[in-house]
Amino acid sequence: KLQPEEKTKQEVKTSKKSAKIAPVKIPATASEIPSSVPYLLIGGGTASFSAFRAIKSLDAKAKVLIVSNESLLPYMRPPLSKEVWFVPDSEKKDPLTFQQWNGSEKSLFYEPEDFYISPKALDENPNGGVAVARGWKVERIDPYKKIAYLEGGHEIKYEKCLLATGAKPKTLDVFSKAPASIQKHVSTFRGIPDYVELNDIIKETESIAIIGGGFLGSEMACALARRAKVENANIKVYQIFKEPGNMHKILPEYLSLWTTGKVANEGVEVISNSEVQDVKLEGKAVSLMLSDGKQILANKVIVAVGVDPNTDLAENSGLEVEPHCGGYLVNAELEARSNLYAAGDCSCFYDVKFGRRRVEHHDHAVISGRLAGENMVGAGKPYLHQSMFWSDLGPDVGFEAIGIVDSSLPTVAVFAKGSDKDSPKAVVAESNDNIRSNVEANSQYKPSSVSTSQNQPAASKDQTLPPDEYGKGVIFYLRDNMVVGIVLWNVFRRMTVARQVLKDDKKYDDLNEVAKLFHIFDE
Ligand code: FAD
Ligand code: NAD
Ligand code: NAD
């Protein structure tokens, strides 16, 4: 149970002027944070959340301390670039909930406040529990002495420790070197405080420019354009990026270009093949001078140009950072050093099947957090279960993916005409779960059903179809003629089949036959 002094509700403090989540430290003083714990999780995100679930399921009385430099309890990030924007503010009881596409309301937080125990009570509680020290930063670890040092010097001795520090948004020099009067209009977007602030600002915004063509930029552009529609607001949304089409690093060129058309249909003015070269202030807006000579006026600029893993602890803790993928170097069991693990966005792990990787997606944080948690209790298991990810560009276009999906690899794709049933909205309405990695477990397409059906219509391998023919499909990514990745384009509940195709480790002469396993021609 919470100590009285900690009953600080996670409410958005709104003054007449602005909505903000003020940074707080809970508990307020380091002396209330245990100085010794069996399990220490650094970071308050999804990987930590998943790790404590795994630890508690194997060791019910475990005492777990999370130290997070966020002021909030662990929450999920995916709805922040999607569902939170799709309903008018007036229809929400609590701004930190969101409506799934079938209308049911859900909290962004994984667990309510009273699920957690106070850090002060952790040591004495015979049944253990999970405590979160919020607003506190870990500055250094001594892996040999097994001590983590908080800002201000407070020491926490651990038996097992997890690094789950996630990633921080990158920015661009053209903005970070601009005068403060311009920087006031520019921000990155990563968490609930960013959402609360932006949600407030856009009420008085006429134009917003999103820089970046990846996951975040593309999802936010679609979500904000939809928000403008549902609020009947006159907000112009621009998306500016240097690639020819949206999600160009993932999708094959033709599909990336097709997707850009869809994003434009959502009401976004997409400016591709372009970079911001210079900025200047013009009244209440920033003027963006683009490499193609265009000039855009925006009251608000969101920079979504990728993330850097948070590995600040590495240098003074004697930890190794992988030079290519940039995360804490860990083995297949997710160990960085003895009794010290890393999971989620910040870890560069050894995938027994596909080699060294770092993955920046929700389900990876869940899977790797769980594996690290299991191993902290002594399971000694390697990383074998592939994570998946999904992305939705509004309720009507979405995809799910597994393995290595990199548009620089050769791809083979099979498409079929889509219908209203082939949309993220339809799958969430049916499953009542917006976290789509959870939906996989309940799929009716079990791996046992993987057999080539004889009575399927012939699939056509075609990448130059008329524009309206990319309704749904399966895209195979090949390395040395082996399928190493699969995108299910507006095709849902088939991830178990995709996982099986990757596991099978076969060279296929005819991927049309493999595509039939996904039943994309079924009504
Ligand atoms: P994080 O969630 O970043 O958590 C890291 C935590 O560590 C934070 O609490 C941070 O404050 C804390 N921390 C860092 N350093 C320290 C320190 N020194 N001391 C204490 N605490 C520290 N993925 C998908 O697959 N599908 C999606 O649809 C999707 N949508 C997304 C939408 C948005 C808006 C964003 C931002 C991301 C989205 N992602 C999505 C990516 C996904 O959310 C991340 O991959 C995931 O959050 C990674 O989890 P993590 O626990 O590794 O890191
Ligand atoms: P990203 O890596 O997906 O995209 C980065 C984009 O930044 C590129 O497409 C490019 O347009 C742009 N860029 C990079 N360097 C640039 C430069 N120097 N100048 C101009 N443009 C440049 O990252 P993101 O879209 O910023 O997303 C942030 C994080 O959140 C990522 O980890 C991403 O995986 C995660 N996320 C995932 C999902 C999802 O899985 N559905 C959704 C949202 C966010
Ligand atoms: P699995 O054991 O069926 O398959 C693991 C993969 O690793 C296969 O491709 C297999 O061929 C390969 N493999 C096995 N031993 C290997 C070795 N020694 N060297 C190289 N490769 C090897 O496991 P799975 O179905 O991937 O599930 C793994 C774990 O994840 C299980 O604990 C399971 O309960 C859990 N799980 C999670 C989810 C989810 O979160 N969505 C869903 C299903 C299963």
Side-chain angles (χ1 to χ4, degrees), residues 8-23:
T8 316
K9 286 287 276 174
Q10 288 181 326
E11 281 164 358
V12 181
K13 303 270 181 283
T14 26
S15 71
K16 280 270 172 283
K17 276 200 196 122
S18 64
K20 269 200 169 74
I21 293 194

Side-chain angles (χ1 to χ4, degrees), residues 8-150:
T8 316
K9 286 287 276 174
Q10 288 181 326
E11 281 164 358
V12 181
K13 303 270 181 283
T14 26
S15 71
K16 280 270 172 283
K17 276 200 196 122
S18 64
K20 269 200 169 74
I21 293 194
V24 285
K25 278 189 167 34
I26 303 175
T29 55
S31 59
E32 292 177 59
I33 299 173
S35 49
S36 168
V37 284
Y39 298 102
L40 174 65
L41 313 180
I42 304 175
T46 299
S48 268
F49 161 77
S50 178
F52 82 61
R53 277 201 159 170
I55 293 168
K56 291 296 278 178
S57 72
L58 296 174
D59 177 358
K61 296 194 172 177
K63 294 176 181 177
V64 184
L65 175 68
I66 295 177
V67 178
S68 169
N69 62 1
E70 287 190 88
S71 304
L72 301 165
L73 292 171
Y75 59 89
M76 55 183 93
R77 302 186 194 276
L80 296 176
S81 52
K82 308 176 194 66
E83 293 94 327
V84 292
W85 302 101
F86 294 163
V87 283
D89 246 10
S90 54
E91 284 179 23
K92 282 187 179 179
K93 284 184 221 102
D94 173 350
L96 301 188
T97 58
F98 62 96
Q99 276 183 13
Q100 302 192 118
W101 286 326
N102 59 3
S104 66
E105 202 151 294
K106 235 179 149 174
S107 171
L108 291 166
F109 295 98
Y110 287 116
E111 296 289 356
E113 186 124 21
D114 60 8
F115 169 89
Y116 300 96
I117 184 171
S118 96
K120 214 161 110 184
L122 188 63
D123 207 22
E124 272 127 55
N125 194 327
N127 294 322
V130 184
V132 189
R134 283 175 266 171
W136 288 93
K137 187 171 186 210
V138 174
E139 289 203 319
R140 184 169 78 84
I141 294 171
D142 185 329
Y144 183 58
K145 291 189 182 153
K146 299 206 280 182
I147 295 175
Y149 298 85
L150 298 194

Side-chain angles (χ1 to χ4, degrees), residues 81-82 167 170 172 190 211-219 240-243 248-249 275 303-307 345 360-362 389-392:
S81 52
K82 308 176 194 66
K170 292 198 277 195
L172 297 171
R190 179 78 187 168
I211 317 296
F215 287 103
L216 184 60
S218 304
E219 290 183 358
I240 300 159
F241 52 83
K242 58 185 175 184
E243 297 91 353
H248 198 259
K249 279 198 291 190
E275 284 182 76
V303 184
V305 295
V307 293
D345 281 12
E360 295 171 0
H361 293 289
H362 175 92
F389 71 83
W390 74 97
S391 177
D392 298 337

Side-chain angles (χ1 to χ4, degrees), residues 257-311:
L257 294 174
W258 184 88
T259 302
T260 297
K262 282 283 171 192
V263 175
N265 279 349
E266 285 289 309
V268 179
E269 183 166 337
V270 184
I271 306 173
S272 53
N273 295 308
S274 194
E275 284 182 76
V276 180
Q277 280 187 330
D278 205 357
V279 285
K280 65 173 194 269
L281 200 62
E282 268 187 35
K284 284 186 175 170
V286 177
S287 169
L288 305 173
M289 279 149 284
L290 308 185
S291 51
D292 62 5
K294 279 201 188 87
Q295 212 161 312
I296 300 297
L297 267 187
N299 304 112
K300 181 75 193 164
V301 179
I302 304 285
V303 184
V305 295
V307 293
D308 284 322
N310 283 322
T311 52

Side-chain angles (χ1 to χ4, degrees), residues 404-419:
I404 316 247
V405 289
D406 174 344
S407 60
S408 66
L409 293 171
T411 59
V412 173
V414 180
F415 289 96
K417 263 215 162 100
S419 72

